[in-house]
Amino acid sequence: MLGLDALASAAYGPEAALTILIPLGALGLRYIGPISAIIIALLFVVYFSYRQTIGAYPHGGGSYTVARENLGVFPSLLAAAALLLDYVLVVAVGISAGVGALVSALPSLQPYTLALCLIILFLIAVVNRRGVRESGAAFMLPTYLFIGCMFAVVLIGLAKVALSGGHPSAVAAT
């Protein structure tokens, strides 16, 4: 449950980057490396920040707690407001990216896009009302399924590259 932000970013992030860079054509490809390097550097900063927070607050301490104990009331409230906004945006973007991927795979679901988004939002809200431990258990299977699918996509891609000798193959039109 707590990794939804990272999983959603892995799901829609590359597509969003390519959508912005496609109008540049071949020139856009030169920006993929630097953008990826910046994202990886940011992930390292987040990783080391989390390690420090876990070391200082081994029994739990989110942004609100850390800011309140170290910076005072106003910064802690600002951190809490930022977290609430982040949660809302993560859920909105995660659901819309997931439904968008589902609709692209099954175009017959296109008329039901909004209904699918609202149903998924309702299910997430119901599951989250059970508490952190129970909702974490409920989201464990979809999380592992997503990670497994990501590994499968990478392995299939590597196999296709190896079988084609590193040359792209033509896409058959259906």
Side-chain angles (χ1 to χ4, degrees):
M1 174 186 80
L2 300 175
L4 177 62
D5 197 1
L7 293 176
S9 297
Y12 72 83
E15 177 189 4
L18 289 174
T19 300
I20 297 297
L21 295 176
I22 282 175
L24 297 174
L27 292 175
L29 293 176
R30 65 186 260 192
Y31 294 106
I32 293 288
I35 290 172
S36 297
I38 291 169
I39 292 170
I40 290 169
L42 182 62
L43 287 173
F44 274 110
V45 169
V46 170
Y47 168 76
F48 286 113
S49 172
Y50 280 172
R51 283 190 56 132
Q52 284 181 322
T53 302
I54 291 169
Y57 299 89
H59 299 293
S63 299
Y64 174 80
T65 304
V66 172
R68 179 149 181 115
E69 289 185 12
N70 295 297
L71 301 173
V73 174
F74 181 74
S76 66
L77 292 176
L78 186 62
L83 281 172
L84 288 174
L85 181 61
D86 179 57
Y87 293 155
V88 169
L89 292 175
V90 163
V91 170
V93 169
I95 290 172
S96 62
V99 170
L102 179 65
V103 167
S104 71
L106 301 169
S108 62
L109 295 177
Q110 177 69 36
Y112 309 106
T113 301
L114 178 60
L116 288 169
C117 288
L118 293 174
I119 289 168
I120 292 170
L121 178 61
F122 176 77
L123 291 174
I124 289 173
V126 168
V127 170
N128 276 321
R129 289 183 48 107
R130 306 299 291 165
V132 174
R133 185 179 311 265
E134 291 82 5
S135 60
F139 291 126
M140 189 176 2
L141 178 64
T143 300
Y144 287 134
L145 181 64
F146 175 81
I147 292 170
C149 288
M150 291 295 284
F151 276 120
V153 166
V154 170
L155 292 175
I156 290 169
L158 289 173
K160 286 188 174 194
V161 166
L163 291 174
S164 68
H167 301 288
S169 58
V171 177
T174 55

